[in-house]
Amino acid sequence: MTSFSLDAPDSFVEVDGIRFAYRRFGAATGTPLVFLNRFRGTMDDWDPLLVDALAEERPVILFDNAGIGRSGGRTQGTVTEMAQAAAAFITAVARGPVDVIGFSLGGYVAQRLALGFPEVVRRVVLAGTGPGAGEGILPSKPQVGPLRSAPQMDLAALRVLFFTESGAGIRAGDGLWERTHRRANREPEVSPDSYGQQIEAIKHFSTGGDTAYPELGRLHHPVLVANGHDDVMVPTINSFSMAQRLPDAELVIYPDSGHGFLFQYAEMFAVRVNEFLDRADQGAPA
C-alpha cells in the first residue's frame, strides 16, 4: 500500500540563508496544512497513519526548522524566532495563507506564528500543547523530568512520555514506534546543539519571556485545541486554559490517552481535523 508520508521525497528551499528540508504531498488542491513539530522531533517522527489520513483530503507540508534534520542553519533559541523562520519558510513554499497543526513545542510556535504573522495562517490546530505561562508545564510523574530532558527518545521513554500505562496506551506506543521507523534513511537525530537551543526556547516561553498566554485574546483565527485526558508532558489543564482564552476555539479531549493522543487516535483525530479545516470554506461559526 502506498503511503504519502513514507514515499515522499525530500525537497529543499533556501530562505534568508537557511536551506530548509521539506516534503509536500497529498491532495493536489486545497489549503496546505503545515506541520510544526515537537521537541526533539524531525519530519520522520510524524505518524504516517495520521499524516496520510490528512493528506487524502488536502496538501500536506512537513518541514524541519533551522538546524533540525537535514535543514541548515542553527536552531533558534526562542519560540518567537522559530515562528519567524517558519513564516519565512511558509511564504516561500505556499501561495496565500495555510492551515497549521502544532504539536507540543510546535504548538508554541503555531501560537506565536498566528499572533505575529496573522496573514500567513488561516486555521490553527493545537495538539498536546500550552500557552506558556499560566498553569505551567510541571510534570505530574517524577520519572518524566529526566526522560523529557534526555537528548534522544527510545521506545521505553516514548511509552512513559506520550501514552498511558493501560493496555491501549502500551499498544499505541509500540504501534507509533513501528510506524515511524518504517521509512528508509530516516532524518538525522536532533543534534546536541539544537536540542539545547530547543530547551532554552521552551524555558523562555514557559517562564513568560515570549509566552502567548496574555495575548490569546487577540488570536482571532479559528482554533481546534486537542489533548489526551492525562498529558504528563504539557498537563491537560493547559488545553482548557487556552480554549477559555481564545476567542474562537473548540476543545476536544480523548479518553485513556496522554501527550501522544493524536497518534493513539490517529484516524479519529484526522477525521476531526479534516472536519474543522473544511468548515473554514463555509465561514467560521458565529
Side-chain angles (χ1 to χ4, degrees):
M1 180 179 178
T2 299
S3 168
F4 290 114
S5 56
L6 294 180
D7 298 330
D10 288 344
S11 298
F12 298 89
V13 62
E14 186 159 335
V15 185
D16 297 335
I18 300 173
R19 188 172 185 252
F20 291 97
Y22 72 100
R23 299 172 191 152
R24 180 169 182 154
F25 50 88
T29 60
T31 301
L33 175 61
V34 177
F35 285 64
L36 302 172
N37 216 336
R38 63 169 173 85
F39 172 53
R40 294 184 299 186
T42 72
M43 289 190 283
D44 288 327
D45 291 304
W46 288 108
D47 188 348
L49 192 60
L50 172 65
V51 174
D52 286 348
L54 293 168
E56 289 280 357
E57 303 291 332
R58 63 198 70 256
V60 158
I61 299 174
L62 309 183
F63 86 107
D64 287 328
N65 214 328
I68 303 297
R70 294 189 174 92
S71 290
R74 189 185 186 210
T75 298
Q76 301 88 353
T78 69
V79 171
T80 296
E81 291 170 317
M82 292 176 180
Q84 290 168 346
F89 165 79
I90 290 168
T91 302
V93 301
R95 293 183 179 179
V98 300
D99 297 323
V100 295
I101 177 169
F103 172 43
S104 197
L105 170 59
Y108 302 168
V109 177
Q111 291 170 72
R112 290 255 59 102
L113 177 65
L115 287 165
F117 304 89
E119 72 285 354
V120 171
V121 179
R122 188 187 69 149
R123 287 201 159 209
V124 181
V125 180
L126 299 176
T129 193
E135 300 298 335
I137 57 169
L138 293 176
S140 58
K141 298 180 180 180
Q143 68 268 38
V144 168
L147 290 175
R148 185 171 65 180
S149 300
Q152 294 184 7
M153 186 183 298
D154 59 16
L155 175 57
L158 182 78
R159 287 172 174 164
V160 172
L161 298 178
F162 278 39
F163 300 100
T164 64
E165 298 175 353
S166 70
I170 293 170
R171 289 190 297 272
D174 292 350
L176 175 64
W177 185 264
E178 190 276 329
R179 292 190 299 273
T180 55
H181 285 77
R182 288 176 186 170
R183 186 179 174 101
N185 193 25
R186 275 173 51 92
E187 294 284 281
E189 296 290 340
V190 174
S191 71
D193 179 71
S194 291
Y195 154 81
Q197 290 288 95
Q198 287 183 331
I199 288 179
E200 289 305 309
I202 291 170
K203 288 180 179 177
H204 193 253
F205 187 82
S206 300
T207 57
D210 57 355
T211 174
Y213 186 81
E215 300 179 64
L216 292 181
R218 67 178 185 85
L219 201 165
H220 291 282
H221 301 74
V223 181
L224 174 63
V225 180
N227 209 337
H229 92 289
D230 185 19
D231 186 340
V232 300
M233 289 280 281
V234 186
T236 306
I237 188 65
N238 288 279
S239 296
F240 288 91
S241 179
M242 288 191 299
Q244 287 178 323
R245 287 164 173 78
L246 289 162
D248 187 3
E250 304 170 36
L251 174 65
V252 57
I253 303 295
Y254 289 84
D256 186 22
S257 60
H259 197 58
F261 77 93
L262 66 170
F263 310 131
Q264 182 171 342
Y265 291 95
E267 293 167 307
M268 184 184 299
F269 185 55
V271 170
R272 186 69 182 83
V273 171
N274 279 325
E275 184 276 329
F276 169 74
L277 298 179
D278 287 342
R279 197 190 317 147
D281 295 332
Q282 304 166 9

